C-alpha cells in the first residue's frame, strides 16, 4: 500500500510517500519545509505567522514530493491521479490555522483523485516514526534494518508540547499511563534555552552546548523521580535554572555550557528512569522513543546504559534523526497501521485532540 502523508500541525510543512510492508514502512519520498527561522526571530511560534507559512509552502512541498516520487505534476490534477492508495493527514493536536491548510489540501485531493483519506493524531504519528525502516546500502546491496517494534510496548512521546508515556498492547490499543503536569520536556529545553540567551528552539542548541560543559557543576532538581506514578514535571527545573542565571556574576560561555549540561542531564535522567520503571512493570518487548526530544543523543545513550544496568531485555527503538521532529512520513506510517479512512466531507481539525 502506498500512502501520501501530509503534516501541517505547527511550523513544518511536510509531504511524504511511504510504502507499507509487513510490520514496517519504507519512505519513497519525504519533503519538509520549515518556518522555524521566522520563529527564531520572535523566540517562539506565532500561530498566524505559522499558518501563513503553511499556506505558502503547502503546494510547492506537495509538488516536489509527487515530482520526485512519481515524476507527477500537480497541473495534471484533473487527469489521472498519482499511483497512491490513500492520503493521510494530521487532524490534531496543533495550531488550528496550520492544521486547516493540510486538511483542506487533503480534502481537495481526496475529492479530485477519489482516494480515501485517513485522519491521523499527530502524537501517534511521532510514535509510528519508529516503524519507519531505513534502507542502507551495504556491500553495494540494499539491506533493511533487522528489527521492528513488537507489542506490548512502552512509548515515550517527548515533543515541544507533550511528554507522555503510553502503554500499547497493539496498533490502536493505547493506554496513557503518565504525562507532564506542567511543561513538556521540549518546552523545558526551549525555555531554558531562552534563559541562557540561546536561539529558539533550545533543544538541539542545548545539546551542542552541553557537550562543552560539565554536568556536575550545577545540580538541578529531578522532579517526581521518586513518586509511584508515571507523571513528569519540568517547570521547577526552569525556575532552578532561572535562579542560577540570576546568581551568576556574568553569563559567560563556560557557565552557559555547564548549566546546559546540568539541565539536560536532569531532564534525561527523569525521562529514562520513569520510562524504564514502566517498561519493567508492564514487561514490554519494546521501548519506543519519539518526538523532537528523542533526537537527543544523550537521551538515547542514557537509555542504552540504564537498560544494560538494569538488565532490561526489551528492545530500544528511536526514529531516524530526521524523523524525530515533525514530518509527513510518520503521519503516513500511523495511517498505514491504523487504517480508518473517512469521507472527505467528514475531515475535521481538532487542535486539542488527545489519544483515542
Ligand atoms: O516533535 P517536535 O518537532 O514538535 C512538536 O510536535 O512539538 O518537537 C520539537 C521540540 C522542541 O521543543 C525542540 O527544542 C525539541 O523538540 N528538540 C530537542 C532536540 N531536537 C529538537 N530537544 C532536545 N535535544 C534535541 N536534539
Ligand atoms: Zn510534533
Amino acid at each position: 500500500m502506498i500512502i501520501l502523508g501530509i503534516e501541517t500541525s505547527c511550523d513544518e510543512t511536510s509531504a511524504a510517500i511511504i510504502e507499507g510492508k509487513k510490520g514496517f514502512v519504507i519512505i519513497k519520498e519525504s519533503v519538509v519545509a520549515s518556518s522555524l527561522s521566522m520563529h527564531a526571530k520572535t523566540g517562539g511560534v506565532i500561530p498566524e505567522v505559522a499558518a501563513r507559512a503553511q499556506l505558502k509552502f503547502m503546494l510547492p512541498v506537495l509538488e516536489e514530493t509527487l515530482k520526485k516520487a512519481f515524476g507527477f505534476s500537480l497541473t495534471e490534477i484533473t487527469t489521472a491521479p498519482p499511483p497512491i492508495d490513500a492520503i493521510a493527514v494530521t487532524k490534531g493536536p496543533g495550531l488550528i490555522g496550520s492544521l486547516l491548510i493540510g486538511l483542506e489540501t487533503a480534502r481537495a485531493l481526496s475529492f479530485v483523485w477519489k482516494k480515501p483519506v485517513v485522519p491521523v493524531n499527530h502524537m501517534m504519528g511521532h510514535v509510528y516514526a519508529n516503524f519507519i525502516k531505513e534502507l542502507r546500502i551495504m556491500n553495494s546491496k540494499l539491506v533493511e534494518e533487522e528489527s521492528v517494534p513488537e507489542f506490548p510496548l512502552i512509548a515515550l512521546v517527548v515533543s515541544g508540547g507533550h511528554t507522555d508515556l503510553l502503554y500499547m498492547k497493539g496498533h490502536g490499543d493505547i493506554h496513557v499511563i503518565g504525562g507532564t503536569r506542567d511543561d513538556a520536556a521540549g518546552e523545558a529545553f526551549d525555555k531554558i534555552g531562552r534563559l541562557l540567551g540561546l536561539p529558539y528552539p533550545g533543544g538541539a542548541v542545548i545539546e551542542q552546548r552541553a557537550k562543552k560543559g560539565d554536568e556536575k557543576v550545577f545540580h538541578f532538581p529531578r522532579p517526581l523521580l521518586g513518586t509511584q506514578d508515571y507523571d513528569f514535571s519540568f517547570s521547577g527545573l526552569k525556575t532552578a535554572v532561572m535562579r542560577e542565571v540570576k546568581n551568576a556574576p556574568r553569563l559567560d560561555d563556560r557557565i552557559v555550557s555547564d548549566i546546559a549540561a546540568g539541565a539536560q542531564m536532569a531532564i534525561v535522567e527523569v525521562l529514562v528512569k520513569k520510562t524504564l520503571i514502566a517498561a519493567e512493570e508492564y514487561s514490554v518487548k519494546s521501548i519506543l522513543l519519539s518526538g523532537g526530544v528523542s533526537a537527543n543523543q544523550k537521551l538515547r545513550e542514557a537509555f542504552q546504559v540504564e537498560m544494560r544496568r538494569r538488565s532490561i531485555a526489551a528492545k530500544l527503538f528511536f526514529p531516524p534523526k530526521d524523523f524525530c521532529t515533525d514530518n509527513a512520513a510518520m503521519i503516513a506510517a500511523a495511517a498505514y497501521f491504523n487504517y480508518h479512512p473517512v469521507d472527505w466531507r467528514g475531515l475535521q481539525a481538532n487542535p486539542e485532540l488527545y489519544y483515542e
Side-chain angles (χ1 to χ4, degrees), residues 282-295:
Y282 287 87
S283 306
V284 294
K285 289 193 177 148
S286 310
I287 299 168
L288 275 49
L289 312 184
S290 50
V293 180
S294 70

Side-chain angles (χ1 to χ4, degrees), residues 33-54:
S34 177
S35 58
L36 203 66
S37 55
M38 296 180 193
H39 309 301
K41 287 183 202 137
T42 47
V45 175
I46 295 177
E48 278 72 22
V49 175
R52 249 176 273 138
Q54 293 289 359

